[in-house]
Amino acid sequence: GGRAALEAWQRAAATMRCGEVAWVRSSAKFAFGALGALPLVPENATLWFQLEIVNIRHPGTVQFFKDFGLAIEEAERQLEVGRGDVQRKAFG
């Protein structure tokens, strides 16, 4: 459960380039499985994620979070960084 969703993201990201956006379908096997993540994700749910490669980091710099709140805070921080990059047209 949960962490396996990352496998779907990793498989998709391995085929993508920086700046590319893709929709990733993650079956329950690669998402939250039979337990789901109630109340947000029902049992045996197939999930769709929009995945965008905005930056490439070396493997040692990837962060994993056990606390969902901290993960959301980091994601929001990264979104702000990305928005700043877009505003200053950092991607040409």
Side-chain angles (χ1 to χ4, degrees), residues 20-85:
E20 187 174 354
V21 178
W23 280 97
V24 178
R25 179 181 178 272
S26 183
S27 67
K29 176 182 175 182
F30 294 109
F32 294 95
L35 297 178
L38 298 173
L40 299 174
V41 180
E43 300 90 352
N44 294 310
T46 295
L47 303 177
W48 284 90
F49 299 95
Q50 184 180 33
L51 182 63
E52 179 178 7
I53 305 298
V54 295
N55 193 2
I56 306 286
R57 293 187 186 179
H58 297 289
T61 64
V62 174
Q63 297 180 29
F64 292 95
F65 296 92
K66 292 183 179 183
D67 180 282
F68 185 69
L70 293 176
I72 293 297
E73 288 175 15
E74 177 64 13
E76 289 173 349
R77 190 182 72 73
Q78 293 295 330
L79 279 172
E80 287 305 313
V81 169
R83 287 184 184 115
D85 289 344

